[in-house]
Amino acid sequence: MNPPESPLVQWRKSTHSGAHENECVEVAELTGHIGIRDSKNPAAGHLTLARQHFTSLLAHLASQP
């Protein structure tokens, strides 16, 4: 289970989500880690990654066709 979030956490929607898309992802800085969640269901929780793993994930996704 994820630890409780600080009320100061600023979730940001991915710029790739678009204005009318249903596949929306949000990210937030979580004290040295990065949180990733579904913007349509934020109460379902979030995935927490170390910054280095988040960077690796982004690099991997960017290399996909």
Side-chain angles (χ1 to χ4, degrees):
M1 183 169 191
N2 297 319
E5 293 176 22
S6 163
L8 303 176
V9 171
Q10 298 289 317
W11 289 94
R12 298 171 306 184
K13 186 188 249 188
S14 168
T15 58
H16 294 284
S17 294
H20 303 290
E21 299 291 324
N22 290 328
E23 306 296 325
C24 302
V25 174
E26 292 179 322
V27 297
E29 172 67 37
L30 301 174
T31 313
H33 291 80
I34 303 296
I36 306 169
R37 72 180 184 183
D38 180 350
S39 65
K40 296 180 305 305
N41 191 7
H46 62 273
L47 173 67
T48 302
L49 297 175
R51 183 175 296 280
Q52 66 194 39
H53 295 142
F54 181 71
T55 301
S56 295
L57 173 64
L58 292 181
H60 173 74
L61 294 174
S63 71
Q64 300 301 303

